[in-house]
């Protein structure tokens, strides 16, 4: 089946749906879709055909809702690489006519292959990985190529300790060669981000335009640590795990449902992370969301987007309906001072 998107996909987008990524020329949708979970090989109990069809439908639903940005990494699966292969197949078979309407990102930094050149931030690893990602994605270029995580400090003979100018030089080469349009960094703390940007300025390297950190109601580390730096250097911010992997929905309030991320063997959300203390907070947040006329998922996304510094909330999904529900959060992304006070009190309790 060839996909034809809804003609009105942009006309129906809410006001301010596209937000400027820092001080770059790139506009990103308020909600972006990540392919970390549910786009690799089929999970137990699913046929390859049904799994693939669900993935296609998720990407179709997203694009029709104005979600023009799909985020990947070399290691997404399982197995590693399989999410890029699947999304690459769907892009080629169903989205070939829409490449210029899409922002596709990928990353390298986590372990991808054996030996000392298969992870972290060396030039050797990053550039080889980008070539392999492009093959799997069946693309000539990606729109954003990220350093997925900063190197640890050098210690003895262990990997790590790549000089920042080497990692950023590899991103610069990716951009100058045309294999990536923009560079990004992910999970760098505030001080490391400032170092990275200053290094680019010193060496005349293409600067990252975007930072991808973890940010949600249960993890606010970026507010004091990172946001002052991204604002100073004009970087956009795309918040990953804005729903804390599904914890910031009502789905775990009555136990762990079958088929949910916490119930699957390969899911990164483990049952022991769903603590009574977190559930108490989630229950109280759910009450605030209901009073606002939103689902908790919608309120959690709206809350990350309340800050102008946050360009986009990078969601995951296991079915198309979740994507539609989440996209519908954006028209109601404003909070009264009283609501914010109530939320802060719940988070501090
Ligand atoms: N840079 C990095 O180091 C890094 C790290 C992690 C993630 N990321 C990026 O961030 C993306 C998002 O991460 P994430 O998948 O953890 O994001 P998330 O949005 O916090 O969680 C997504 C999960 O929440 C559940 N969900 C979503 N919408 C829902 C709804 N309306 N109602 C009920 N449940 C809902 C689904 O879980 P079920 O499967 O249980 O239905 C879904 O798989 C990734 O795909 C990746 O692109 C980047």
């Amino acid at each position: 089946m060839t996909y034809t998107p809804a003609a009105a996909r942009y006309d129906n987008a809410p006001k301010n749906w596209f937000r400027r990524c820092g001080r770059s020329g790139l506009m990103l949708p308020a909600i972006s879709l990540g392919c970390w979970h549910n786009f690799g090989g089929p999970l137990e109990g699913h046929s390859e055909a049904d799994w693939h069809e669900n993935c296609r439908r998720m990407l179709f639903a997203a694009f029709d809702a104005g979600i023009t940005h799909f985020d990947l990494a070399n290691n997404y699966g399982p197995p590693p690489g399989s999410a890029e292969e699947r999304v690459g197949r769907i892009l080629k078979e169903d989205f070939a006519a829409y490449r210029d309407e899409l922002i596709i990102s990928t990353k390298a930094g986590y372990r991808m292959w054996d030996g000392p050149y298969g992870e972290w931030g060396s030039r050797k690893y990053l550039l080889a990985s980008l070539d392999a990602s492009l093959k799997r994605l069946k693309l000539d270029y990606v729109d954003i190529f990220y350093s997925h995580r900063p190197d640890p400090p050098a210690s003895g003979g262990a990997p790590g300790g790549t000089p920042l100018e080497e990692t950023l030089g590899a991103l610069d080469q990716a951009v100058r060669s045309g294999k990536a349009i923009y560079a990004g960094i992910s999970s760098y703390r505030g001080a490391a981000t400032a170092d990275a940007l200053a290094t680019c300025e010193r060496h005349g390297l293409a600067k990252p335009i975007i930072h991808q950190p973890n940010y949600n109601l249960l993890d606010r580390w970026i507010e004091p640590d990172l946001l002052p730096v991204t604002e100073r250097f004009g970087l956009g911010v795309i918040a990953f795990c804005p729903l804390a992997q599904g914890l910031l929905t009502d789905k775990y309030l009555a136990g762990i449902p079958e088929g949910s991320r916490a119930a699957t063997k390969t899911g990164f959300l483990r049952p022991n992370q769903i603590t009574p203390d977190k559930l108490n907070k989630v229950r109280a947040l759910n009450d605030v969301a209901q009073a606002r006329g939103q689902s908790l998922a919608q309120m959690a996304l709206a809350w990350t987007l309340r800050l102008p510094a946050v360009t986009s909330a990078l969601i995951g999904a296991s079915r198309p309906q979740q994507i539609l529900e989440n996209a519908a959060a954006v028209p109601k992304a404003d909070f009264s001072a009283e609501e914010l006070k109530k939320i802060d009190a719940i988070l501090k309790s």
Side-chain angles (χ1 to χ4, degrees), residues 32-38 71-73 76 107 110 146 148-149 186-187 212-214 216 239-247 249-252 257 259-262 264 269 295 297-298 301 314-319 321-323 325-326:
S32 299
L33 179 65
C35 305
W36 180 31
H37 283 71
N38 305 317
D71 178 76
L72 290 121
Y76 290 175
K107 324 182 186 80
Y110 285 91
Y146 286 93
H148 206 161
R149 58 173 173 172
S186 177
S187 298
Q212 188 175 127
N214 188 19
N216 60 54
F240 76 70
C241 299
L243 302 176
Q245 299 200 55
L247 196 47
T249 69
D250 60 5
K251 75 164 43 161
Y252 293 111
S260 63
R261 187 177 293 188
T264 55
L269 180 64
S295 68
Q298 289 172 329
L301 295 170
L314 177 52
I315 60 162
S318 61
R319 57 202 77 137
Q321 186 49 41
Q322 292 176 344
I323 296 170
E325 177 185 329
N326 296 346

Side-chain angles (χ1 to χ4, degrees), residues 17 28-39 54-63 66-73 76 87 95 102-105 107 212 238-239 242 261 312-320 322-324 326:
W17 174 258
L28 287 179
I31 304 286
S32 299
L33 179 65
C35 305
W36 180 31
H37 283 71
N38 305 317
F39 284 85
N54 187 51
C55 291
R56 288 175 78 222
R57 293 198 180 278
M58 285 198 280
L59 296 184
F60 294 174
F63 191 53
I67 297 176
T68 50
H69 176 24
F70 304 151
D71 178 76
L72 290 121
Y76 290 175
V87 171
F95 283 88
L102 286 169
I103 298 297
I104 308 292
S105 57
K107 324 182 186 80
Q212 188 175 127
I238 180 163
R261 187 177 293 188
S312 185
L314 177 52
I315 60 162
S318 61
R319 57 202 77 137
Q322 292 176 344
I323 296 170
L324 299 182
N326 296 346

Side-chain angles (χ1 to χ4, degrees), residues 87-103:
V87 171
R89 182 181 152 199
I90 297 171
L91 291 177
K92 186 172 176 175
E93 290 176 1
D94 300 297
F95 283 88
Y98 307 101
R99 177 65 186 97
D100 291 338
E101 293 185 47
L102 286 169
I103 298 297

